[in-house]
Amino acid sequence: MKHLVAPSILAANFNNLDKEVKLVNNSQADWFHLDVMDGLFVPNISFGIPIVKHINKIAKKPLDVHLMIENPSNYIEKFKNCGADILTVHYEACKHLHRVIENIKKNNMKAGVAINPHTPVNLLKEILKDIDLVCIMSVNPGFGGQSFILQTHEKIKKLAKLKIENNFLIEVDGGVNIDNAKEIIKSGADVLVAGSSVFKSENPESAIDKIKNLS
Ligand code: DX5
Ligand code: ZN
């Protein structure tokens, strides 16, 4: 499968959000990656439902919503209603992960589970058949612009071995850029999230296309 690219809007220029969304529409990006942070699960607050709703009005590609929040189960329906297509919750934030996943799917969204750098992939073993995506955090969540943690390659490879007929996608999130993307794909990533390396570059559209056209 050709890898997918999901630009992270966290690094976009919010003074002209519409322009940034349109730029992603016009690029070869596959999804929009939207990082929702609550200041509790992670030490930062980003944006919430009204912004996701606004982006959904302009976006012509699926919304991949990454919830870095406590008690995500309280917000599943709300994110469905503002346009999320894929809803990813953190393993570390869910006491009853199976129930949360069922609930996401009942609300007609694809279900994703994200794991922090310290969380081993084999903890997901019993739930892999139920989910559509695993988001391997390659930085500690909370901020854009951090460096890719090299140990992530081992995690991607381990998780790729647990795939049964490509039943879930492996997404890698944090510190992805044009220089390390090829190696990340080689390790087994299906979806690359890229924030700073796209939006802080001189030409974000071509930065997206360059990552997409790597083989
Ligand atoms: C980090 C977020 C990432 C972030 C990636 O907590 O989950 O999606 O936006 O940004 P870069 O690509 O700048 O590391
Ligand atoms: Zn993210």
Side-chain angles (χ1 to χ4, degrees):
M1 188 196 106
K2 175 84 182 162
H3 62 276
L4 308 180
V5 179
S8 170
I9 293 295
L10 186 67
N13 179 1
F14 279 74
N15 288 330
N16 204 340
L17 186 55
D18 293 19
K19 187 177 156 219
E20 303 282 66
V21 174
K22 285 175 192 157
L23 170 165
V24 176
N25 281 341
N26 292 332
S27 75
Q28 293 177 43
D30 297 279
W31 300 345
F32 285 84
H33 184 84
L34 305 181
D35 289 306
V36 176
M37 303 179 185
D38 66 352
L40 293 167
F41 181 72
V42 287
N44 194 14
I45 299 176
S46 58
F47 51 79
I49 289 163
I51 297 283
V52 176
K53 208 171 183 171
H54 179 76
I55 292 172
N56 187 44
K57 279 190 197 140
I58 316 166
K60 295 198 177 117
K61 302 181 182 198
L63 304 189
D64 168 32
V65 178
H66 177 191
L67 297 183
M68 281 159 275
I69 63 173
E70 297 285 357
N71 301 319
S73 57
N74 296 347
Y75 302 93
I76 293 170
E77 225 183 298
K78 291 190 176 78
F79 279 100
K80 171 67 189 175
N81 293 340
C82 65
D85 296 285
I86 304 141
L87 195 64
T88 296
V89 296
H90 264 264
Y91 170 87
E92 302 84 1
C94 296
K95 273 195 192 126
H96 302 285
L97 185 58
H98 185 270
R99 182 184 290 149
V100 177
I101 289 163
E102 293 290 290
N103 211 344
I104 294 174
K105 292 198 296 195
K106 259 187 222 147
N107 279 280
N108 293 317
M109 292 177 285
K110 301 269 186 211
V113 176
I115 51 170
N116 281 338
H118 73 276
T119 303
V121 294
N122 56 20
L123 287 177
L124 299 179
K125 220 170 155 193
E126 305 305 329
I127 213 114
L128 286 177
K129 63 178 188 320
D130 302 308
I131 60 184
D132 301 293
L133 175 142
V134 175
C135 174
I136 300 186
M137 291 308 301
S138 37
V139 297
N140 285 293
F143 304 93
Q146 306 179 77
S147 303
F148 183 88
I149 298 170
L150 284 172
Q151 175 61 21
T152 311
H153 285 295
E154 292 311 311
K155 292 178 75 174
I156 304 169
K157 287 177 193 162
K158 272 187 198 156
L159 186 60
K161 282 193 191 142
L162 298 175
K163 269 192 182 177
I164 316 151
E165 296 173 8
N166 280 332
N167 52 336
F168 59 86
L169 296 173
I170 301 179
E171 178 175 69
V172 175
D173 185 7
V176 176
N177 57 48
I178 187 71
D179 299 320
N180 61 15
K182 207 168 174 172
E183 194 68 29
I184 298 167
I185 297 163
K186 217 172 113 195
S187 292
D190 302 300
V191 187
L192 300 181
V193 175
S196 309
S197 68
V198 165
F199 290 103
K200 309 291 183 211
S201 77
E202 262 177 35
N203 186 339
E205 202 177 315
S206 108
I208 294 169
D209 294 351
K210 276 184 190 153
I211 296 177
K212 180 68 187 177
N213 290 316
L214 289 169
S215 52

